[in-house]
Amino acid sequence: MLFSKRLLLLAFFIGLALSAYGQSKPLIGQVLDSLNRPIPYANVVAINQSTQKIGGFGITNAEGRFKITLAEGPSYLLRVSFVGYVQFESTISEWDSEKPLNVTLQQADTELGVVEVVSELPVTMKGDTLTYKTDAFTTGSERKLEHVLEKLPGFQVDENGEVKVQGKKVDKVLVDGKTFFDGDTKLATKNLSANAVDRVQVLKNFNEVSPIRGLDTNETLALNIQLKEGKKNLVFGDLTGGAGPEERYLGHVNAFYYAPKLNVNLIGGSNNVGEQSFTLQDYFRFSGGLSGLSSRSGSRVQLNSEDLGIPLANRTNAFDLQSTLGALNLNYSPSKKWRHSGFLIASTSANQLGSNSLRTYLNSGEDTQEQLNSESFVENKSGLAKYALTYTPKEETYLKYSLFGKLSEISNSNDLNSNFGEINQRIDSRNTRTPYALQQKLEWYHAPSERHVFSTELNWESKFSDPLFDLNTNLKPLQGLYPIADAETYRLLQSQEITTNTWEAAFNYYYILNPTNHLNWTLGYQNFSQNLIGQLEQVGSE
């Protein structure tokens, strides 16, 4: 009995010791040069002296600051390095998580002789490109690209699949240098297989139009996902399926084919468990299609969107939610001069909501309680398509034609029943609309010399929407606001037809003074028109 107690006590202290040993805390600091200026994108590595493995890794931000999390207990060899500076090394075993560690790097004055590469650095910086070797950070248990990015220092991935690097939002995603679903981050992070990723490149100030690189002011941040050699010229992907009680089901498929000239990506899925592969936020992000010229020319014309009023369906407020997605992405380059690209996305969602509530009002009347029942049904069907043809006969010339279209069918039904003592009111309403849009754009850029750049852009867009509001109730609505004829039941219809047309053209000439300054002359033309036809009527009245 005494032996058993001693054994349990020993096990307790061993567990306590292991728990204390397994605790971790952050190591924070800042990397500066000899003039106390911050050094961004410096590599910070902590090597466990017991195992000789990397215990933590990070890179400095724009202010030269870093933060890595290390397990307490062992001592570490801290190495800080950056191109052009002498590598810093220091052994640490105790550190204060609240007190920053200042590291000063001295500039290297001697030229490098013969360098023998022993192993590949996990992070390298060259110009505006920061490259991560993903195998240095992953464990092999990752399933999707988002799980890989979460392991990389400086990366953040939210639940919607949007990515930030050093706090700045990523605008586009490329796969082997080619646009993936028009650069959408969510479809890439949620679907691209983790075991196919070899490197992740962060491209600062990204612009696919070579003649105007360095001239635009929008600091676009892009990711280029480089695939492993074994995943090229090969079809790969995954299939997920599941079923459960109450007729619940889940199915999802990804298929990818990458080759030097042809890239094809297919994504499909359907479920009724509340997982939305394509949300309304995604629809709005894609439905921008081709950006207009107004923002760049200084215009501030604001036209009514044909998508306003689309109800939001999500699994946090749904009694039942069904969604289906089908998406196809294509990149085809028959030669170095020509490239065809585009995507097709079709999605549906049906969301049922409902609530019962009992309200008590503080007043002097007899009827102070209201029984309110509500039921809602939201259905959204949408289709998006884009095609682009790019011609680059030489590096200084760029020509692109783009065609974008979208079509939706949206309906939102709400049934309310209010029982307020002797007063019982029923309100049934329905919102429907079938908007569509078509846009074409032509772009030409040419740089005949280092100091002269010319560009011409033409944009045409047509939009249509027909929102319809159908209201049924047993009590007279809009009293004092709109004349309503007396009836046993009341039905009001409000219909609209909104047509929008846009013509834009812009010619630009840039004169390059130096790498950081240039003069820009713009000649532009804009024509916006919008027609609205609306009607409000009472059905069943004379």
Side-chain angles (χ1 to χ4, degrees):
M1 191 62 147
L2 182 61
F3 177 78
S4 299
K5 291 183 178 179
R6 290 178 177 176
L7 187 61
L8 289 174
L9 186 62
L10 179 62
F12 171 78
F13 282 112
I14 291 177
L16 184 63
L18 290 176
S19 175
Y21 187 84
Q23 291 179 351
S24 60
K25 66 178 181 179
L27 170 66
I28 60 175
Q30 186 178 25
V31 180
L32 307 169
D33 62 12
S34 58
L35 300 178
N36 287 327
R37 295 176 300 189
I39 301 178
Y41 302 110
N43 293 326
V44 182
V45 183
I47 301 176
N48 189 316
Q49 294 291 74
S50 301
T51 63
Q52 292 301 309
K53 293 183 179 181
I54 295 179
F57 181 86
I59 58 172
T60 58
N61 60 15
E63 299 176 350
R65 302 186 185 278
F66 67 87
K67 178 181 178 181
I68 57 178
T69 302
L70 302 174
E72 292 185 278
S75 61
Y76 296 90
L77 176 63
L78 184 67
R79 288 179 178 171
V80 182
S81 60
F82 191 71
V83 177
Y85 292 84
V86 178
Q87 179 174 276
F88 171 88
E89 289 190 355
S90 177
T91 302
I92 58 172
S93 56
E94 295 290 337
W95 65 93
D96 188 345
S97 61
E98 303 290 334
K99 184 178 180 181
L101 174 67
N102 291 326
V103 176
T104 301
L105 297 185
Q106 301 295 329
Q107 192 167 3
D109 297 325
T110 58
E111 294 184 0
L112 293 176
V114 178
V115 178
E116 179 182 359
V117 179
V118 178
S119 60
E120 184 177 3
L121 290 175
V123 180
T124 56
M125 183 76 180
K126 184 178 180 182
D128 285 339
T129 302
L130 184 65
T131 303
Y132 293 80
K133 178 66 176 175
T134 58
D135 288 346
F137 305 96
T138 56
T139 61
S141 61
E142 299 80 12
R143 294 187 60 249
K144 300 297 180 183
L145 175 62
E146 63 176 333
H147 305 135
V148 174
L149 298 181
E150 289 172 345
K151 300 291 183 66
L152 304 183
F155 278 73
Q156 292 177 317
V157 184
D158 64 20
E159 61 180 4
N160 295 320
E162 293 191 354
V163 185
K164 289 184 178 180
V165 180
Q166 300 291 345
K168 185 175 180 181
K169 181 182 176 182
V170 172
D171 303 292
K172 295 181 72 68
V173 174
L174 313 175
V175 177
D176 276 346
K178 298 179 180 178
T179 303
F180 183 87
F181 277 101
D182 208 33
D184 180 64
T185 57
K186 178 179 179 178
L187 289 182
T189 56
K190 295 289 186 181
N191 293 282
L192 194 61
S193 300
N195 60 7
V197 180
D198 183 32
R199 290 174 175 83
V200 174
Q201 291 183 321
V202 180
L203 310 177
K204 296 177 60 181
N205 303 318
F206 173 78
N207 193 331
E208 66 175 346
V209 184
S210 57
I212 61 171
R213 285 175 185 162
L215 298 179
D216 55 341
T217 56
N218 56 341
E219 299 177 352
T220 301
L221 190 66
L223 293 185
N224 181 34
I225 310 302
Q226 294 184 326
L227 302 179
K228 296 178 180 178
E229 289 298 325
K231 296 298 182 180
K232 299 180 180 180
N233 297 304
L234 182 70
V235 177
F236 64 94
D238 58 67
L239 176 65
T240 303
E246 301 182 7
E247 300 182 351
R248 299 298 180 187
Y249 63 88
L250 170 67
H252 192 75
V253 60
N254 303 322
F256 304 93
Y257 173 74
Y258 288 92
K261 291 186 177 183
L262 178 64
N263 299 162
V264 181
N265 319 117
L266 177 64
I267 300 173
S270 181
N271 71 87
N272 64 352
V273 295
E275 295 290 341
Q276 294 194 81
S277 302
F278 197 76
T279 64
L280 288 175
Q281 291 91 335
D282 303 324
Y283 173 82
F284 284 121
R285 186 167 61 250
F286 269 100
S287 63
L290 312 173
S291 59
L293 311 181
S294 303
S295 59
R296 279 176 286 169
S297 63
S299 173
R300 291 295 181 267
V301 177
Q302 183 68 38
L303 297 178
N304 180 49
S305 171
E306 79 282 0
D307 299 317
L308 290 178
I310 296 180
L312 180 63
N314 59 69
R315 64 181 178 181
T316 61
N317 62 2
F319 173 75
D320 182 64
L321 177 58
Q322 303 178 26
S323 62
T324 302
L325 169 69
L328 175 68
N329 185 66
L330 173 70
N331 279 287
Y332 175 56
S333 302
S335 67
K336 294 183 178 180
K337 298 181 179 180
W338 295 92
R339 180 164 64 91
H340 303 266
S341 63
F343 65 81
L344 177 64
I345 301 174
S347 68
T348 65
S349 66
N351 187 14
Q352 184 178 350
L353 306 92
S355 67
N356 297 317
S357 60
L358 180 63
R359 300 176 179 179
T360 301
Y361 297 88
L362 300 177
N363 57 37
S364 58
E366 296 181 358
D367 298 327
T368 60
Q369 287 190 335
E370 177 192 25
Q371 180 71 41
L372 181 65
N373 301 320
S374 68
E375 291 184 359
S376 299
F377 186 79
V378 179
E379 187 174 12
N380 182 16
K381 301 177 182 178
S382 63
L384 299 158
K386 181 178 179 180
Y387 167 76
L389 175 63
T390 305
Y391 177 60
T392 52
K394 44 191 175 182
E395 186 177 0
E396 59 267 23
T397 302
Y398 180 95
L399 180 65
K400 183 177 182 179
Y401 167 77
S402 304
L403 174 66
F404 175 79
K406 61 178 180 178
L407 175 67
S408 300
E409 182 179 335
I410 307 144
S411 66
N412 180 22
S413 301
N414 293 280
D415 298 331
L416 298 176
N417 190 74
S418 173
N419 191 331
F420 210 139
E422 297 180 356
I423 302 176
N424 187 69
Q425 183 174 16
R426 175 184 54 82
I427 302 176
D428 299 331
S429 62
R430 179 177 174 85
N431 287 279
T432 62
R433 63 181 62 199
T434 55
Y436 68 81
L438 185 65
Q439 185 178 13
Q440 297 184 79
K441 188 174 182 180
L442 182 65
E443 305 169 75
W444 172 78
Y445 304 89
H446 181 59
S449 66
E450 293 182 356
R451 289 191 175 274
H452 305 280
V453 179
F454 300 89
S455 73
T456 300
E457 298 176 78
L458 303 174
N459 181 56
W460 170 84
E461 185 175 6
S462 179
K463 298 180 178 181
F464 175 79
S465 183
D466 57 348
L468 174 66
F469 178 69
D470 187 352
L471 174 67
N472 289 272
T473 181
N474 62 322
L475 297 180
K476 181 181 291 189
L478 305 176
Q479 294 193 35
L481 299 176
Y482 186 83
I484 302 293
D486 294 332
E488 292 185 4
T489 60
Y490 299 88
R491 184 184 181 189
L492 299 179
L493 289 178
Q494 182 184 36
S495 60
Q496 291 181 330
E497 290 187 0
I498 306 171
T499 304
T500 306
N501 288 290
T502 302
W503 277 98
E504 296 176 285
F507 174 79
N508 283 276
Y509 167 64
Y510 302 88
Y511 180 72
I512 313 302
L513 299 174
N514 52 56
T516 57
N517 296 278
H518 64 270
L519 300 176
N520 175 215
W521 289 269
T522 300
L523 179 63
Y525 169 79
Q526 297 176 350
N527 187 305
F528 300 92
S529 65
Q530 189 171 66
N531 296 323
L532 169 63
I533 301 176
Q535 182 179 1
L536 176 62
E537 62 176 328
Q538 180 180 356
V539 180
S541 63
E542 297 181 357

